[in-house]
Amino acid sequence: AGGAAASRALALFRAGGAAASMAGPTSRARVAYIHDPEVSQFYYGPGHPMKPQRMQVAHQLILGYELHRKMSCYTPHKANDQEMRKFHTEEY
């Protein structure tokens, strides 16, 4: 069921409808939280805003305040070569 929801969310995002479908004061859409502990171990470089410490602190806060209970939580799979080439050059 989680995979189907993620597929629908991705299709909606690609269609450009994510912002419109989640807008409005009466919306009951859930937040999707995508977390992989392995990602927070990777250093992206000094100029990159994504820092391992920030990701770890954010995750601990989400758990500590039990926000994950109000979100749809997913663990992504590791992208294969074909999936990586959809968004990155061969050199990357």
Side-chain angles (χ1 to χ4, degrees):
S7 294
R8 285 192 303 277
L10 182 58
L12 183 63
F13 176 78
R14 286 184 177 154
S21 70
M22 293 181 194
T26 60
S27 174
R28 302 303 276 167
R30 290 176 61 92
V31 172
Y33 177 55
I34 303 166
H35 175 71
D36 182 350
E38 198 172 306
V39 172
S40 66
Q41 303 302 313
F42 185 78
Y43 179 61
Y44 293 86
H48 199 286
M50 194 179 315
K51 308 283 188 240
Q53 303 89 337
R54 290 174 72 190
M55 295 175 71
Q56 292 167 358
V57 168
H59 182 67
Q60 291 303 317
L61 287 169
I62 287 168
L63 295 179
Y65 284 100
E66 297 187 356
L67 298 174
H68 63 289
R69 297 184 187 279
K70 298 180 181 200
M71 301 180 193
S72 298
C73 300
Y74 303 97
T75 301
H77 74 276
K78 192 171 277 198
N80 62 36
D81 289 342
Q82 182 181 5
E83 291 168 323
M84 289 294 288
R85 284 192 295 272
K86 288 181 180 179
F87 301 98
H88 297 288
T89 64
E90 196 69 38
E91 294 79 27
Y92 179 81

